[in-house]
Amino acid sequence: MRSRAVVMLSLAMLVWMAARAQDQDFSKVQIKVTKVAGNIYMLEGAGGNIAASVGEDGIVIVDDQYAPLADKIQTALKDLGITNKPVRFVINTHYHGDHTGGNEPFANTGSTVIAQDNVRKRLESGGTAGNGGSLKMEAKPAAKGALPIITFEHDVTVHLNGEDIRALHFPAGHTDGDAVIFFPKNNVVHMGDDFVRYGFPFIDVASGGSVQGMIAATEKATAQLPPDVKVIPGHGALSNLDDVRAYTQMLKETSAAVQKAIDQHKTVEQMKQEKVLEPWKKWSGDFIDSDKFIETLYNSLTRTKGEFVKHN
Ligand SMILES: [Zn+2]
């Protein structure tokens, strides 16, 4: 019992807790680098996956994990032996601390941080993240030096290393500030936490996220991608479009199951007791189990109906 509780706690922290970053021991974390395609690499350590474009013009990274890992990330990029030029740009996929924790150290060493408008707003204000139910986490306001210097509403393109690296906003998915990052020349995409591999996803309903927006994001992103694109998920192993489609399918089916129960005027407690997500239990994880995902879907489906911005 105790060890399971410890595992759950450490997973929850690993997945995104920024406020707790100082309590976590990063000294043992090693940065694993995988070549994805052409000059694009994926870096794994603790927190969200990093995509890196490494080439003659320098380096662009997507997300930066936690502040204590910034030096290790810099070293791993240098050790590729491709360029001595610095990380010129950091693009954040969303505001959570396991994706933006390194913003300040990277900015201090000369990188320019780019993110969607709502990422900067939420980093600046801090607030409560969560699924609108039992999962709640406090995020402290970020230091000024951690705030993105360049923000965009809809999309932005960074022209570097011979590629048009495009960040496109998908509203109201994992949060209200999500960007999916396309590397069209190399046929790679970084999906941020709109697509993850740890089971049922965390949807930050408290920060403007919704399952409807997450489905819209994965469907719209996949519709504009070639079939053999390499997909970097927010968390977990390198993936392909079939993995994204299976995930989208699960989001749609579980949403329909909970919507049906809502239409039958069932409460969240009844849905948990009746195990309405039992057919999808292989997706139930230590961070987001079936009960937490029922809460997520219920809150998402009852609170945000028809409210989101549609501009993609
Ligand atoms: Zn996240």
Side-chain angles (χ1 to χ4, degrees):
M1 232 8 243
R2 178 142 190 272
S3 74
R4 184 169 167 84
V6 170
V7 168
M8 285 174 68
L9 183 65
S10 61
L11 258 172
M13 282 166 71
L14 261 180
V15 173
W16 68 278
M17 244 347 261
R20 291 282 165 78
Q22 67 270 25
D23 303 334
Q24 209 178 320
D25 179 14
F26 290 99
S27 63
K28 303 275 189 321
V29 176
Q30 290 186 334
I31 306 296
K32 182 185 158 202
V33 183
T34 307
K35 180 169 173 153
V36 179
N39 64 306
I40 307 298
Y41 296 82
M42 171 169 144
L43 279 68
E44 296 163 88
N49 289 326
I50 295 172
S53 163
V54 186
E56 55 182 12
D57 300 329
I59 300 173
V60 182
I61 61 172
V62 176
D63 287 345
D64 53 27
Q65 301 193 345
Y66 295 101
L69 297 175
D71 284 344
K72 289 185 188 182
I73 294 164
Q74 298 266 26
T75 303
L77 291 166
K78 201 158 265 176
D79 285 352
L80 287 169
I82 296 167
T83 180
N84 280 324
K85 290 187 177 155
V87 174
R88 293 176 63 177
F89 297 98
V90 175
I91 306 172
N92 295 147
T93 60
H94 63 289
Y95 87 97
H96 290 154
D98 57 333
H99 299 257
T100 60
N103 279 7
E104 191 168 30
F106 274 99
N108 287 342
T109 51
S111 308
T112 299
V113 181
I114 304 174
Q116 207 274 337
D117 297 336
N118 293 332
V119 174
R120 184 180 161 102
K121 281 182 200 155
R122 291 197 180 277
L123 282 173
E124 197 166 27
S125 66
T128 306
N131 70 347
S134 63
L135 189 66
K136 266 197 196 120
M137 293 168 239
E138 295 302 320
K140 289 179 193 148
K144 185 169 169 279
L147 300 178
I149 294 293
I150 296 178
T151 64
F152 61 93
E153 186 195 356
H154 180 264
D155 70 292
V156 70
T157 305
V158 177
H159 305 271
L160 221 71
N161 296 332
E163 187 156 44
D164 303 326
I165 303 165
R166 182 166 181 243
L168 179 60
H169 180 219
F170 285 89
H174 174 63
T175 69
D176 60 6
D178 306 326
V180 169
I181 320 299
F182 299 87
F183 300 90
K185 189 188 78 175
N186 286 289
N187 201 13
V188 176
V189 64
H190 189 311
M191 294 285 297
D193 281 4
D194 274 331
F195 172 61
V196 295
R197 300 301 305 270
Y198 57 72
F200 288 137
F202 170 48
I203 298 176
D204 190 349
V205 179
S207 304
S210 72
V211 69
Q212 303 94 309
M214 189 177 267
I215 292 167
T218 57
E219 289 198 318
K220 284 175 186 165
T222 49
Q224 47 189 283
L225 289 164
D228 57 345
V229 66
K230 301 250 180 15
V231 180
I232 299 176
H235 297 267
L238 193 61
S239 305
N240 59 38
L241 275 197
D242 283 342
D243 299 320
V244 182
R245 288 198 191 98
Y247 172 87
T248 308
Q249 183 77 11
M250 175 277 291
L251 293 178
K252 286 178 150 182
E253 290 172 358
T254 52
S255 294
V258 168
Q259 185 61 54
K260 191 176 156 205
I262 292 169
D263 293 343
Q264 293 165 344
H265 307 289
K266 286 181 183 160
T267 65
V268 169
E269 277 318 306
Q270 282 173 312
M271 293 181 206
K272 288 179 183 174
Q273 273 163 20
E274 292 175 15
K275 298 189 189 300
V276 296
L277 296 187
E278 189 67 6
W280 300 275
K281 67 167 186 285
K282 69 165 185 180
W283 297 83
S284 182
D286 287 330
F287 179 37
I288 306 295
D289 60 17
S290 296
D291 283 356
K292 285 205 180 66
F293 202 52
I294 288 172
E295 295 174 10
T296 304
L297 294 174
Y298 180 89
N299 291 323
S300 195
L301 293 166
T302 54
R303 283 187 198 180
T304 56
K305 206 167 246 175
E307 275 176 22
F308 20 6
V309 201
K310 287 196 170 135
H311 64 203
N312 283 298

